Amino acid sequence: MHERIIILDFGSQYTQLIARRIRELNVYCEIHPWNKIPSITDNVKGIILSGSPFSVRDEQSPKPNLDAIKGKLPLLGICFGAQYLAHHFGGEVMPSNTREYGRAHLKYVDESCTLTKGMSTGSQVWMSHGDTIERIPEHYQIIASTEDVSIAGYHVEGEHTYAIQFHPEVYHSSEGKILLQNFVYTISGCSGDWTPNSFVEETTSKLREQLGEDKVILGLSGGVDSSVAAVLLHKAIGSNLHCIFVDNGLLRKNEFESVLESYKGIGLNVKGIDSSEKFYEALKNETDPERKRKAIGRVFVEVFDEESKKVEGAKWLGQGTIYPDVIESVSATGGPSQTIKSHHNVGGLPDYMKLQVVEPLRLLFKDEVRRIGKSLEIDQRILGRHPFPGPGLGIRILGEVTKEKVRILQEVDAIFIDSLKEDGLYDDVWQAGAIFLPIQSVGVMGDERTYENAVALRAVTSTDGMTADWCHLPYTFLAKVSNKIINQVKGINRVTYDISSKPPATIEWE
């Protein structure tokens, strides 16, 4: 079994980021709710306590039982974790008079401490806390300070227990990687055995054992997750994998044909189903965003069910579920999660289909999926694709979806995406697309007055889609794209650019 670092989650927005940073160091880690601590086996090398929206002074704040951990295993408390270790074991945590949010700089670093070795005075760190540690217990030593926070880090004498007030996992902590490396390698003794090649070998072996000669059906979307899941399953069971790619009529221009062509090169057994007319009929006269999504999902399940019945003896449904899908459905506070989502590539299958689920990517983050895909030698054109919503252009057409609106939006979208690629900007953007607006506006073309449709272009930068900022594309580029769209797409006379961030807006408009 792989060496493991366990992260106990107290509900911090940064918990996933801690795990991703450690995985980037080729060390396997798992996130568990603070009140569901897993069995501490020999391969558990260290424990990290995450941040939290709670104050340790709140009656309702998490109070983990660390009897089997503290003083026995390497332990690192981050933010709330640091405050809990101080408060619970005899120190004092109080509301801060000078709250520290955002950038700060270390004015003192204990270079002799194993955790902070290699970090430098003056290096930037990222703070996000309203409480501060006023006093640490006996036998605790300060190892880091900032201008406003004298106890920014400490070490417990005689133990491999460390704690810091700042967040080493975020990009803005310039030497955070050094600190995490020190913890997982030097303090916890990890060797870094979590690599793409080892994952592929182990996963294919487990899939062969789990599936035997059974047949598996997988709904392909053309995206990264389903493609990598398909290639892993194909590597394990070969022709017993049956992939279905449904054209819902809401894909990008020529996407159905191009995706099917790209899968041919991989050697997958893929059946393409053109069901676009069924989707258009289901969306007729429908304008409510949620009802549109449900209509698209319902028809997809109907089509998928019909096609899967043609695969005689199929027992399994393959899905591209990834690790954030799993952990976002678990509450860190012990109650019902507020972020539970339906995580199914095929829109959520009803019980009557009687298929067992196999999810070869459920341990991976998105960036790891791409690394695995690269190890499997999947075409970069697939691995580098922007995310695309399951309902497709159906949620990028505000109001009723019609075949003609889809055609117009496909042309607009193709110009935008192709232009990003031509100008070398595509890989700088996390997700891009066009939105068909439910308005018409007056325009002038030649000597004629026009009254035609308007579209909005959307391009964002992000790491995981949970937060996003609008992409600062060059004005000259936007001007060129706008001109192309208006001149080449009949029915459009106005182009806008969406400069909203998430939050408060979402990436998609519906």
Side-chain angles (χ1 to χ4, degrees):
M1 293 179 70
H2 284 285
E3 304 160 334
R4 283 190 300 163
I5 297 291
I6 300 295
I7 301 171
L8 298 185
D9 181 24
F10 298 100
S12 169
Q13 60 179 322
Y14 298 131
T15 302
Q16 285 192 36
L17 193 51
I18 301 171
R20 285 170 53 201
R21 291 290 178 260
I22 292 172
R23 296 274 190 94
E24 287 170 5
L25 297 171
N26 292 331
V27 174
Y28 179 64
C29 66
E30 293 175 352
I31 297 172
H32 292 271
W34 66 269
N35 55 353
K36 294 182 180 177
I37 300 175
S39 298
I40 305 301
T41 55
D42 289 343
N43 69 327
V44 176
K45 297 296 185 180
I47 308 288
I48 294 178
L49 308 181
S50 83
S52 176
F54 287 98
S55 164
V56 294
R57 302 167 70 254
D58 294 342
E59 271 190 40
Q60 302 302 316
S61 68
K63 295 176 178 60
N65 182 352
L66 301 178
D67 290 349
I69 297 170
K70 186 176 177 293
K72 300 178 177 67
L73 279 172
L75 179 62
L76 173 63
I78 296 177
C79 199
F80 174 91
Q83 293 171 1
Y84 179 81
L85 289 172
H87 176 76
H88 186 71
F89 292 98
E92 187 175 22
V93 176
M94 298 294 289
S96 176
N97 292 324
T98 54
R99 294 187 175 192
E100 225 174 29
Y101 288 98
R103 293 173 180 83
H105 293 87
L106 296 178
K107 74 169 187 177
Y108 165 71
V109 177
D110 184 349
E111 296 176 9
S112 67
C113 176
T114 309
L115 184 71
T116 50
K117 187 175 182 180
M119 298 183 70
S120 53
T121 302
S123 65
Q124 180 176 284
V125 295
W126 189 261
M127 294 285 193
S128 182
H129 58 93
D131 287 349
T132 194
I133 301 168
E134 291 284 349
R135 179 174 52 82
I136 50 179
E138 286 186 44
H139 310 301
Y140 282 39
Q141 295 178 329
I142 296 174
I143 59 173
S145 303
T146 68
E147 192 66 39
D148 294 319
V149 178
S150 60
I151 307 174
Y154 60 80
H155 169 228
V156 181
E157 292 179 30
E159 298 181 13
H160 289 308
T161 300
Y162 303 83
I164 49 172
Q165 274 281 184
F166 55 90
H167 290 270
E169 69 275 19
V170 304
Y171 170 78
H172 302 289
S173 288
S174 59
E175 295 180 348
K177 184 177 180 180
I178 295 173
L179 186 146
L180 291 174
Q181 278 179 322
N182 288 341
F183 181 73
V184 299
Y185 284 116
T186 309
I187 297 169
S188 301
C190 294
S191 61
D193 63 353
W194 174 252
T195 64
N197 287 341
S198 69
F199 176 84
V200 170
E201 290 172 14
E202 291 167 21
T203 302
T204 52
S205 176
K206 288 177 183 175
L207 288 171
R208 288 190 194 103
E209 186 178 336
Q210 179 184 11
L211 303 173
E213 297 298 317
D214 292 348
K215 292 180 181 177
V216 178
I217 299 171
L218 185 141
L220 282 172
S221 67
V224 177
D225 299 341
S226 67
S227 299
V228 174
V231 174
L232 269 173
L233 283 162
H234 177 74
K235 188 176 176 69
I237 63 173
S239 60
N240 278 338
L241 173 66
H242 295 259
C243 300
I244 298 173
F245 181 41
V246 177
D247 182 1
N248 58 10
L250 305 169
L251 302 174
R252 287 181 152 139
K253 183 180 179 181
N254 300 325
E255 187 169 26
F256 184 58
E257 297 78 10
S258 64
V259 167
L260 284 175
E261 187 63 31
S262 68
Y263 284 136
K264 282 182 185 176
I266 300 175
L268 294 176
N269 175 18
V270 183
K271 183 177 183 181
I273 310 296
D274 183 355
S275 301
S276 51
E277 293 301 327
K278 290 183 180 179
F279 285 88
Y280 292 147
E281 184 61 32
L283 291 167
K284 196 172 183 180
N285 300 320
E286 191 57 78
T287 60
D288 179 78
E290 190 58 27
R291 286 202 292 268
K292 284 199 295 185
R293 283 177 177 271
K294 287 181 178 177
I296 293 167
R298 184 188 71 249
V299 176
F300 191 99
V301 169
E302 291 169 2
V303 173
F304 195 83
D305 183 36
E306 183 181 332
E307 291 302 321
S308 66
K309 286 175 180 174
K310 298 175 185 177
V311 181
E312 191 175 340
K315 294 183 179 179
W316 297 84
L317 168 70
Q319 293 191 159
T321 308
I322 61 176
Y323 199 41
D325 301 341
V326 177
I327 57 183
E328 283 174 5
S329 297
V330 178
S331 171
T333 57
S337 173
Q338 295 181 358
T339 53
I340 291 176
K341 300 187 286 185
S342 297
H343 295 295
H344 300 289
N345 284 354
V346 292
L349 294 181
D351 292 339
Y352 61 75
M353 290 192 70
K354 305 298 181 189
L355 293 172
Q356 299 178 73
V357 174
V358 56
E359 299 168 315
L361 307 180
R362 65 180 285 112
L363 295 178
L364 302 179
F365 289 102
K366 189 73 155 186
D367 45 351
E368 290 180 302
V369 174
R370 287 194 167 94
R371 288 172 64 195
I372 299 300
K374 189 175 181 181
S375 174
L376 290 165
E377 299 182 347
I378 296 175
D379 193 319
Q380 182 57 35
R381 287 174 296 179
I382 294 177
L383 295 181
R385 288 188 68 193
H386 291 172
F388 188 66
L393 300 181
I395 59 169
R396 291 183 178 175
I397 295 172
L398 306 192
E400 184 185 4
V401 176
T402 67
K403 193 172 183 178
E404 177 61 10
K405 287 180 183 178
V406 170
R407 184 197 66 77
I408 291 173
L409 189 57
Q410 284 177 332
E411 296 293 335
V412 171
D413 180 84
I415 290 172
F416 186 27
I417 298 300
D418 289 347
S419 297
L420 285 169
K421 291 177 179 176
E422 289 165 9
D423 284 41
L425 296 168
Y426 185 82
D427 291 337
D428 296 333
V429 176
W430 191 77
Q431 184 171 333
I435 296 90
F436 192 103
L437 302 179
I439 58 172
Q440 291 184 309
S441 68
V442 174
V444 178
M445 292 189 179
D447 294 325
E448 294 183 11
R449 176 183 182 275
T450 62
Y451 192 60
E452 294 181 327
N453 300 292
V455 292
L457 305 182
R458 180 79 159 136
V460 299
T461 56
S462 181
T463 55
D464 49 24
M466 295 175 70
T467 61
D469 194 11
W470 63 279
C471 202
H472 295 229
L473 297 174
Y475 292 151
T476 51
F477 171 80
L478 292 171
K480 180 178 72 173
V481 171
S482 174
N483 192 51
K484 269 189 180 180
I485 290 169
I486 292 171
N487 283 333
Q488 296 178 20
V489 184
K490 189 175 181 182
I492 299 295
N493 71 354
R494 190 174 299 271
V495 176
T496 65
Y497 187 54
D498 182 352
I499 59 169
S500 312
S501 63
K502 176 188 178 180
T506 54
I507 294 175
E508 299 294 343
W509 280 43
E510 286 193 345

